[in-house]
Amino acid sequence: MSDNLQQAAEARTASVIQLAQELVRCPSRAGIDDYGPVLTVLEDWLAARDLPHRRLHDDGGALVGLLVEIPGGHPGPWWTLDACVDTAPYGDETAWSFPPASGDIVDGWLLGRGSSDSKLAAAMFCHIAADLLPRAADLHGGLAVLLDVDEHTGGFGGARAYLADPTAARPAGVLIGYPGLDEVVVGGRGLWRASLAVHAPSGHSGSSKSVVGAISRAAHLVRLLDAADLPGVDGTSAFPLPPKLSVTSFHGGQGFSVTPDRCDLNVDIRTTPTFDAHGAETLVRKAVAELDAELPAPKPTEVTPIATWPPFRLAEREQPAAALLNAAAETGLMVRAKTAGPSNIGNLLAGEEIRATAGFGVPYEGLHGIDERAHLAELPTVYAVYHRAVLDLLGG
């Protein structure tokens, strides 16, 4: 990588950190805090630098993000840098060794919720946009920076509003600023989620009549699901992870004297290209049919699908993965292409046939947990990698 890019990245570091500190000190827990203040911090920063931006709203009119758009002077595809500025909850604040909204720097770490996921990336992407604005006329296509909220709720309201906006250029690809220095995430398992309602006759727990209650039937269903035969990794596929099934919620009954007539389960299945949503639903409905045959009830078990996302994986030669991997290699970083086990916003984009990377950034600790913090020594290198990758994508 050129010395000029590295020097520019180092010069930008202090300003990136300052903006990130302001963002961390502005609580924006998903579903808890008002998103207006944290987005106002970004709006003020963008306006002071004459960066073209606008607000994004969901169908109900709620503010769900900001969109920066820099059109190039020549035809070409648009590319998007995306970083969420809402965060996970704090959890047990008494367990933290510093305030969750600290924003302080201690021993080279930026402290606080959102420091790693993903306020530091948001600050970095804003600065990259500011770097490119003066040379926009030389670029091909355009650069968008999506600063979204409603991400940690799983609703992805900001991303959905961006994709639904008829005035926004459709991106050819998206680089998502999740952290982690050793890997470029180029794929992720998909998901199929459903709620199951298990029924049974109700009765008094002390009755002389024996009743197989809904909880007992549901427990049997859990055993059937846990014993279900899931395929392993397909040796003929480039996708390196197997599917996974988890029962994530189990609710039924109250008190002691009544055998309940209903028990509700949530099932989460992580899917792969060779075991997709259809395969997941087929497996669950087979287990349900077996339950209803073995332990009949007055009402059949209900299966209500809740959400489906496709798995995705980019080949290392596909953009934007190639640009990011090449830029990292030019810095001397030993990074590998990774397919993530958890699903992420890249799956939402895959459903829209938009290619995405879903992670490359600074080292971190405590993401979504206690004492979240991001290491800053590597920030100039990470900044330079993204800067170079964007220039390559835009023909700069």
Side-chain angles (χ1 to χ4, degrees), residues 130-144:
D131 285 345
L132 295 185
L133 183 62
R135 60 184 302 180
D138 298 328
L139 304 179
H140 295 255
L143 175 68

Side-chain angles (χ1 to χ4, degrees), residues 295-316:
L295 299 174
K299 187 176 181 181
T301 301
E302 301 168 56
V303 179
T304 303
I306 300 298
T308 301
W309 284 355
F312 77 101
R313 180 176 171 83
L314 300 185
E316 295 181 26

Side-chain angles (χ1 to χ4, degrees), residues 5-392:
L5 276 180
Q6 188 67 36
Q7 291 168 3
E10 292 171 357
R12 281 296 202 184
T13 297
S15 180
V16 171
I17 294 171
Q18 183 179 8
L19 177 56
Q21 287 180 286
E22 291 184 58
L23 295 174
V24 172
R25 288 168 178 159
C26 194
S28 54
R29 293 165 292 176
I32 298 174
D33 297 313
D34 178 8
Y35 300 136
V38 73
L39 292 174
T40 297
V41 170
L42 290 165
E43 283 184 304
D44 290 345
W45 192 93
L46 295 167
R49 289 152 183 84
D50 296 322
L51 278 161
H53 64 279
R54 55 192 172 90
R55 293 185 168 197
L56 296 172
H57 298 86
D58 65 14
D59 291 339
L63 177 61
V64 290
L66 300 175
L67 182 64
V68 181
E69 294 170 301
I70 302 176
H74 304 279
W78 278 68
W79 304 91
T80 300
L81 298 172
D82 172 34
C84 63
V85 292
D86 68 325
T87 73
Y90 295 154
D92 181 5
E93 295 186 44
T94 65
W96 287 64
S97 60
F98 49 81
S102 167
D104 291 342
I105 298 172
V106 176
D107 296 330
W109 293 86
L110 173 62
L111 308 182
R113 176 64 83 225
S115 56
S116 57
D117 184 14
S118 296
K119 292 181 175 181
L120 185 61
M124 179 175 63
F125 290 166
C126 286
H127 281 76
I128 289 175
D131 285 345
L132 295 185
L133 183 62
R135 60 184 302 180
D138 298 328
L139 304 179
H140 295 255
L143 175 68
V145 177
L146 174 61
L147 305 162
D148 58 319
V149 293
D150 192 38
E151 197 262 15
H152 284 84
T153 62
F156 298 108
R160 292 183 189 277
Y162 169 46
L163 296 174
D165 189 334
T167 65
R170 187 84 168 174
V174 177
L175 296 93
I176 304 166
Y178 297 139
L181 191 67
D182 298 327
E183 300 157 338
V184 171
V185 177
V186 299
R189 285 190 290 207
L191 61 80
W192 181 84
R193 290 173 175 165
S195 292
L196 312 183
V198 179
H199 302 279
S202 62
H204 195 291
S205 60
S207 172
S208 59
K209 181 180 179 181
S210 179
V211 174
V212 180
I215 289 178
S216 295
R217 294 187 78 243
H220 186 65
L221 178 56
V222 172
R223 288 192 291 271
L224 291 173
L225 292 170
D226 284 345
D229 187 19
L230 292 170
V233 176
D234 183 354
T236 65
S237 171
F239 202 87
L241 298 175
K244 182 180 181 182
L245 183 153
S246 302
V247 177
T248 57
S249 177
F250 190 108
H251 296 284
Q254 59 185 20
F256 292 92
S257 63
V258 177
T259 303
D261 60 2
R262 176 172 173 145
C263 186
D264 294 289
L265 314 178
N266 286 347
V267 178
D268 178 288
I269 300 181
R270 299 306 166 111
T271 60
T272 68
T274 56
F275 186 78
D276 59 10
H278 175 73
E281 184 167 358
T282 299
L283 180 149
V284 169
R285 291 192 181 276
K286 179 181 177 182
V288 163
E290 186 174 344
L291 168 73
D292 289 345
E294 292 182 7
L295 299 174
K299 187 176 181 181
T301 301
E302 301 168 56
V303 179
T304 303
I306 300 298
T308 301
W309 284 355
F312 77 101
R313 180 176 171 83
L314 300 185
E316 295 181 26
R317 65 181 181 278
E318 290 183 272
Q319 298 291 17
L324 197 54
L325 287 164
N326 290 341
E330 289 178 6
T331 69
L333 288 178
M334 300 295 292
V335 300
R336 65 184 183 94
K338 176 187 177 181
T339 299
S343 303
N344 55 64
I345 200 171
N347 298 91
L348 173 66
L349 295 166
E352 298 282 337
E353 298 185 349
I354 297 172
R355 301 187 301 271
T357 61
F360 170 75
V362 299
Y364 64 93
E365 293 180 355
L367 187 147
H368 289 192
I370 303 302
D371 286 353
E372 181 178 345
R373 58 184 186 168
H375 201 246
L376 298 174
E378 295 81 4
L379 179 59
T381 298
V382 172
Y383 189 99
V385 167
Y386 273 106
H387 193 285
R388 176 66 180 182
V390 170
L391 283 177
D392 286 350

